Amino acid sequence: MQLLDGKITSDQIKEELKNKVEAIKAKGGKIPHLAAVLVGDSGAAVTYVNAKVKACELVGFKSTLVKLPDTISEADLLSKVAELNADKDIDGYIVQLPLPKHIDEHKVTEAISPDKDVDGFHPTSLGRMVLNLPTYLPATPYGIMQLLERNGIETAGKHCVVMGRSHIVGSPMSILMARNTNPGNATVTIVHSRTKNLKELTLQADILIVAIGKPEFVTADMVKEGAVVVDVGIHRIDDASKKSGFRLLGDVKFDEVAPKTSYISPVPGGVGPMTIASLLMNTLQAAALK
Ligand code: GUN
C-alpha cells in the first residue's frame, strides 16, 4: 500500500505556483487575486476559508476575505456578488457553501460571473467541462485528478466506481473520469443512497472514489484487493482526548481498508489539501485570461 499524499502533492503544486507568481512579479504583471465570501462564522466552513486565504498568501497571491453575517438577506448577498463581478482587481472568487437556509444557493452560484467562477460551480463552467472545453474545473474533482496524475495512477480502461452524486464532487468526478483525457478514459459507475447491490459494485472497482458523507462507511469487505481508494469525506468527531476537542475521519475505515489497497488517500492530508491547490491553479488561470 502506498499513500496518495495530498500534502506532498499539493506542496509541489504550490511550489510551482509560487515560482509562476515570482515570474509574473519580475515582469511587472498583475498578481493573481482571489476573494472568498464567508457567510456566518460557524462550523468547518470558517476553517476551510481561512485555509484558502492562507494558501494564497503562501504562493504570493493577493486574497480578500469577505465576511458577512448569517442574517444577510439573499438580495444583499447578490449585491455583494455583483460587486465582486465588477471589481477589476479580483480575478476569481468563491462563495463558500453551504449558505444559510433562507438563501438559494443556485441563485447565488448562477450570479457569479463564469469568468471569475474559480470554484467551477456555475452551470456554464459545468457545461463546458462536460463538453471538454477550457473552463474552471470544480476544485475537489480537479484536485483528485491531479492527485491521480501526479502519483502516476493509470486510469484508462479501469473500472472507476464513484460513491456519491453531489453537484460539487460525485457528479463532476464521474464525468471527468469518463472523459477522453488523461487521467480519464475510465469506465465509470456511480453509486448512491438508492443503489441496491452496493457492495457487489464497489468490489468491482479498480478505482474507488468515496464521497458519500458518512464516517467510515467503506469497510474492508467492500474493497477489491489492489484497488486505488480516494476518500473525499471529512468528519469532525468529538474526542475529549484531543486538544482541539475533535478528530477527523473520512468516509473510509482507513485502518482496515488500507492494507488491501495499492494506493489510498488519508484523511486528513489527502483530498483536502488538493482542493485548495486546485482553487489556486484556477485562480492563476483566471488571472492569465485577463
Ligand atoms: N463547500 C464544500 N466544499 C466547497 C468548495 O469547494 N467550495 C465552496 N465554495 N464551498 C464548499
Side-chain angles (χ1 to χ4, degrees), residues 52 94-97 119 121 139-140 168 275:
K52 289 171 185 178
I94 65 158
V95 177
Q96 187 68 22
L97 304 177
D119 248 339
F121 293 168
T140 300
I168 63 176
T275 297

Side-chain angles (χ1 to χ4, degrees), residues 165-225:
R165 55 180 162 183
S166 73
H167 296 313
I168 63 176
V169 186
S171 294
M173 196 66 236
S174 66
I175 291 162
L176 290 176
M177 287 300 280
R179 288 199 317 186
N180 186 3
T181 53
N182 179 42
N185 280 315
T187 303
V188 179
T189 301
I190 307 183
V191 299
H192 49 74
S193 54
R194 301 291 282 272
T195 298
K196 287 217 168 76
N197 46 348
L198 184 72
K199 187 171 151 185
E200 198 180 296
L201 291 163
T202 60
L203 276 170
Q204 292 174 31
D206 302 310
I207 302 169
L208 185 63
I209 299 176
V210 193
I212 44 166
K214 291 193 180 126
E216 297 192 321
F217 182 83
V218 173
T219 45
D221 58 317
M222 296 166 75
V223 178
K224 181 166 84 172
E225 200 71 47

Side-chain angles (χ1 to χ4, degrees), residues 13-26:
I13 294 172
K14 284 191 254 181
E15 198 54 40
E16 290 165 17
L17 291 170
K18 213 168 157 181
N19 292 337
K20 285 182 182 163
V21 173
E22 268 156 28
I24 293 170
K25 269 192 190 155

Side-chain angles (χ1 to χ4, degrees), residues 79-278:
S79 303
K80 191 72 215 176
V81 165
E83 210 179 284
L84 292 166
N85 285 341
D87 188 329
K88 291 213 163 29
D89 197 64
I90 290 170
D91 299 299
Y93 69 96
I94 65 158
V95 177
Q96 187 68 22
L97 304 177
L99 292 170
K101 291 214 164 35
H102 65 277
I103 297 175
D104 182 342
E105 279 185 7
H106 288 293
K107 229 182 191 170
V108 174
T109 302
E110 287 192 46
I112 296 172
S113 172
D115 57 315
K116 294 193 175 187
D117 176 36
V118 286
D119 248 339
F121 293 168
H122 191 282
T124 297
S125 307
L126 292 170
R128 293 182 66 86
M129 176 192 76
V130 173
L131 296 169
N132 212 350
L133 295 169
T135 186
Y136 303 113
L137 297 180
T140 300
Y142 187 17
I144 294 169
M145 297 301 270
Q146 287 287 321
L147 194 61
L148 296 173
E149 184 179 3
R150 288 172 181 256
N151 287 279
I153 308 291
E154 182 64 59
T155 61
K158 297 284 160 72
H159 186 189
C160 174
V161 175
V162 177
M163 299 180 75
R165 55 180 162 183
S166 73
H167 296 313
I168 63 176
V169 186
S171 294
M173 196 66 236
S174 66
I175 291 162
L176 290 176
M177 287 300 280
R179 288 199 317 186
N180 186 3
T181 53
N182 179 42
N185 280 315
T187 303
V188 179
T189 301
I190 307 183
V191 299
H192 49 74
S193 54
R194 301 291 282 272
T195 298
K196 287 217 168 76
N197 46 348
L198 184 72
K199 187 171 151 185
E200 198 180 296
L201 291 163
T202 60
L203 276 170
Q204 292 174 31
D206 302 310
I207 302 169
L208 185 63
I209 299 176
V210 193
I212 44 166
K214 291 193 180 126
E216 297 192 321
F217 182 83
V218 173
T219 45
D221 58 317
M222 296 166 75
V223 178
K224 181 166 84 172
E225 200 71 47
V228 174
V229 175
V230 177
D231 188 351
V232 187
I234 186 148
H235 310 274
R236 285 186 183 198
I237 308 292
D238 287 341
D239 186 341
S241 72
K242 300 272 181 196
K243 210 172 118 203
S244 59
F246 65 85
R247 68 198 154 95
L248 295 172
L249 290 181
D251 285 354
V252 176
K253 206 162 190 179
F254 185 89
D255 290 347
E256 65 171 57
V257 172
K260 284 189 92 174
T261 64
S262 56
Y263 290 88
I264 184 166
S265 70
V267 177
V271 172
M274 293 304 299
T275 297
I276 295 183
S278 312

